[in-house]
Amino acid sequence: MSKRKLTRQQRWRIEKIQAERAKRAEKRGQQDADKLDAGEYGAEQPGRVIAHFGRTLDVRPEGDGDPVRCHLRANLEGLVTGDRVIWRAGEDGSGVVVARGERASVLERPDPRGQLKPVAANIDQILIVFAVEPEPHANLIDRYLVAAEATGIAPVLVLNKADLLPEDGGELGALLERYAALGYPVVTTTTARDGGLDALHRRLAGRTSVFVGQSGVGKSSLIDRLLPFDSLRIGALSEDSRKGRHTTTTARLYRFAPGERDADGAGELIDSPGIREFGLIHLDEAQVAEGFIEFREHLGRCRFRDCRHRKEPGCALLAAVESGEIHADRFASYRRIVDSLEES
Ligand SMILES: Nc1nc2c(ncn2[C@@H]2O[C@H](COP(=O)(O)OP(=O)(O)OP(=O)(O)O)[C@@H](O)[C@H]2O)c(=O)[nH]1
Ligand SMILES: [Mg+2]
Ligand SMILES: [Zn+2]
């Protein structure tokens, strides 16, 4: 694939737009600095980013209180839903974020240009949601699992739309069992009736969980059922009248209090926009192999230390695939990920 060539005029226009943008940001930063100096903002206080839209954020003050629309101080970049921040209230009801707290964890993925971008911060659990419909790509599930293993954030697999499953569970039921056999927690849910929602709730209590997965699998619907209070969800869903359904466009954090469904304790849920591809180009081959947990006991046992597990004689991974210890589909999935690293 060849890169699109820009004409000189196009390039000039883009540079001009970028320069204007930078100038505007600088001016705004200067105005902020002046206002901060002049004491037009209140005292510094801690808060949490619950949603972000470009350089504008919704920050929830620590403790309680309504979210405040904030913008970023000019030198701050890359904030994301879940970040802990220091912010100051302005006189007009908006605020300014002046610093970001340290992150206990962060889920990141490369953007289309290959630059690593945070998806959500300070999370302890990744809920990988898939459904009977749209048909899941097992490879996407494996990509999420590899990303989870690489960041050390615990994954949970959620098979939603169980109401559409055949009675014997079908292929998807079998797929889920395979992941359960690897030791991953799995939950089967449906929002059509009250199926599996209590089991899911128990998994979420006391934790901060981000819901990820393809578009249309039911992430927002699940969160909707877990948060019975409408007021918590206002602004979360944007009507896509064309398709006649709601598509999430920005990651948003919700709290659920203990006792809303049972007394298990409070938790936090982050809804995120659906994605088709989860790039792993920020990882190397060894990290990808480590991300397949059942490979680990075989790694380092190949005849050649630099074995790439392709055709090498004495490859411990290939032997484990041969003997059935490693499922051929998972190995194929590993291959696809490694090949995609080379392509980019
Ligand atoms: N049959 C069935 N349909 C469901 C279930 N859960 C959700 N849906 C439907 O699936 C469609 C997509 O649901 P959403 O919750 O918007 O999916 P999403 O994962 O949030 O999608 P994005 O925001 O685009 O990533 C909606 O029409 C829901 O009504 C379920 O358990 N069973
Ligand atoms: Mg959604
Ligand atoms: Zn090998």
Side-chain angles (χ1 to χ4, degrees):
M1 235 177 19
S2 71
K3 283 221 178 88
R4 196 168 70 101
K5 282 227 169 67
L6 298 175
T7 64
R8 209 152 43 129
Q9 195 179 6
Q10 281 170 327
R11 214 164 34 225
W12 175 81
R13 277 204 42 179
I14 289 169
E15 276 164 16
K16 188 165 163 243
I17 291 167
Q18 279 169 348
E20 277 167 7
R21 229 182 248 159
K23 212 161 118 193
R24 272 204 305 274
E26 197 187 320
K27 195 167 152 209
R28 176 151 212 195
Q30 189 52 49
Q31 284 169 349
D32 271 351
D34 291 348
K35 277 197 203 166
L36 288 168
D37 288 344
E40 280 181 39
Y41 285 104
E44 294 190 344
Q45 51 176 315
R48 189 90 182 273
V49 177
I50 61 164
H52 79 126
F53 324 88
R55 292 192 66 80
T56 309
L57 309 162
D58 281 349
V59 173
R60 193 182 58 215
E62 203 168 86
D64 235 343
D66 292 331
V68 177
R69 188 55 60 93
C70 290
H71 60 268
L72 287 172
R73 200 176 184 165
N75 56 355
L76 272 180
E77 288 289 344
L79 268 86
V80 70
T81 300
D83 263 325
R84 293 177 210 290
V85 293
I86 301 294
W87 68 285
R88 298 173 67 172
E91 282 166 345
D92 57 355
S94 72
V96 58
V97 173
V98 295
R100 193 194 85 199
E102 266 195 42
R103 289 171 174 162
S105 66
V106 59
L107 176 63
E108 296 177 302
R109 77 182 189 105
D111 70 7
R113 284 182 301 173
Q115 262 182 327
L116 212 50
K117 289 277 156 66
V119 176
N122 300 311
I123 43 184
D124 357 86
Q125 200 162 246
I126 302 177
L127 269 85
I128 303 168
V129 186
F130 58 111
V132 182
E133 215 191 78
E135 199 187 336
H137 309 293
N139 192 246
L140 183 59
I141 298 173
D142 290 332
R143 282 171 176 271
Y144 273 121
L145 287 173
V146 169
E149 296 295 338
T151 51
I153 306 168
V156 176
L157 295 180
V158 180
L159 171 57
N160 189 36
K161 307 199 188 183
D163 51 300
L164 304 178
L165 275 179
E167 228 161 82
D168 65 355
E171 275 175 38
L172 278 184
L175 185 70
L176 199 66
E177 268 168 38
R178 235 167 60 203
Y179 286 112
L182 295 177
Y184 287 116
V186 302
V187 189
T188 306
T189 57
T190 170
T191 61
R193 5 181 188 89
D194 239 357
L197 291 178
D198 285 327
L200 183 60
H201 189 275
R202 278 194 293 279
R203 279 257 147 228
L204 301 171
R207 299 186 169 105
T208 300
S209 309
V210 60
F211 284 58
V212 299
Q214 270 165 271
S215 182
V217 293
K219 300 178 292 297
S220 300
S221 306
L222 284 169
I223 290 174
D224 190 48
R225 295 297 299 272
L226 291 161
L227 306 172
F229 299 134
D230 274 359
S231 60
L232 290 175
R233 307 164 17 226
I234 286 176
L237 302 171
S238 70
E239 186 84 50
D240 185 345
S241 52
R242 207 163 23 86
K243 291 184 203 144
R245 66 182 173 99
H246 299 92
T247 291
T248 309
T249 52
T250 184
R252 187 178 282 268
L253 184 145
Y254 303 93
R255 275 194 302 196
F256 62 91
E260 277 180 21
R261 282 188 76 87
D262 54 42
D264 273 349
E268 292 175 321
L269 314 179
I270 298 177
D271 193 6
S272 78
I275 61 154
R276 203 167 303 153
E277 270 294 325
F278 192 98
L280 292 171
I281 50 172
H282 55 297
L283 302 180
D284 62 30
E285 250 182 78
Q287 287 173 306
V288 173
E290 286 280 337
F292 283 75
I293 50 171
E294 73 275 37
F295 292 10
R296 288 179 186 169
E297 59 179 297
H298 306 286
L299 294 171
R301 300 204 166 160
C302 302
R303 186 179 305 163
F304 302 113
R305 281 191 55 164
D306 59 351
C307 184
R308 294 185 68 200
H309 326 304
R310 283 165 192 268
K311 286 190 189 123
E312 293 88 339
C315 172
L317 280 189
L318 291 174
V321 175
E322 194 67 29
S323 71
E325 277 175 88
I326 290 176
H327 198 288
D329 288 354
R330 283 270 286 176
F331 193 71
S333 192
Y334 159 75
R335 270 285 174 67
R336 271 172 62 185
I337 294 173
V338 167
D339 288 345
S340 73
L341 302 184
E342 266 168 21
E343 279 162 24
S344 50

